Amino acid sequence: MSEIDFEALGRCHHLKGKINDTCHKRDGAFRDIKNKYHAGSNPFDAVYEIDMAFFHQKFKELDEANTELTILVNEYNQWAGKAGERPIRWIKSN
């Protein structure tokens, strides 16, 4: 039976919680952006005004959460092998 690296296991467990929270932050910022934008069907009838300050703030939140998530996942993946955990895969968006 192989030895369990309890430090690595503990770090992975801790990082999983932080990754989960950060994913929710990133998803929430994107959802807020998506829900706030309204595309009109006919610009000659009405044009929706855009609150650019809102979008800048939400994009900043999205960017910060994405950066934090990248750091957390990379750190998790460094410990995963030692803890006997599967690494988290990165999937590129199109």
Side-chain angles (χ1 to χ4, degrees):
M1 184 169 152
S2 65
E3 285 292 313
I4 296 172
D5 186 333
F6 288 104
E7 179 186 4
L9 193 59
R11 287 180 184 260
C12 284
H13 179 74
H14 175 72
L15 288 166
K16 279 182 179 180
K18 292 178 81 170
I19 288 167
N20 187 54
D21 292 345
T22 305
C23 276
H24 286 302
K25 282 184 200 174
R26 185 177 74 162
D27 293 348
F30 183 78
R31 185 176 46 255
D32 290 346
I33 290 169
K34 185 177 167 186
N35 289 340
K36 188 79 168 180
Y37 183 78
H38 301 284
S41 59
N42 184 349
F44 300 106
D45 286 337
V47 175
Y48 287 94
E49 187 174 344
I50 295 176
D51 179 356
M52 290 307 293
F54 172 84
F55 283 98
H56 284 292
Q57 178 59 37
K58 289 299 172 178
F59 183 79
K60 181 180 175 191
E61 291 174 21
L62 178 70
D63 187 43
E64 289 172 355
N66 193 63
T67 299
E68 182 179 353
L69 186 59
T70 300
I71 292 166
L72 290 168
V73 169
N74 288 337
E75 184 179 351
Y76 175 88
N77 284 343
Q78 289 176 354
W79 289 102
K82 295 176 186 174
E85 298 285 326
R86 245 185 2 211
I88 297 172
R89 293 181 307 128
W90 285 108
I91 299 173
K92 298 284 184 190
S93 60
N94 296 332

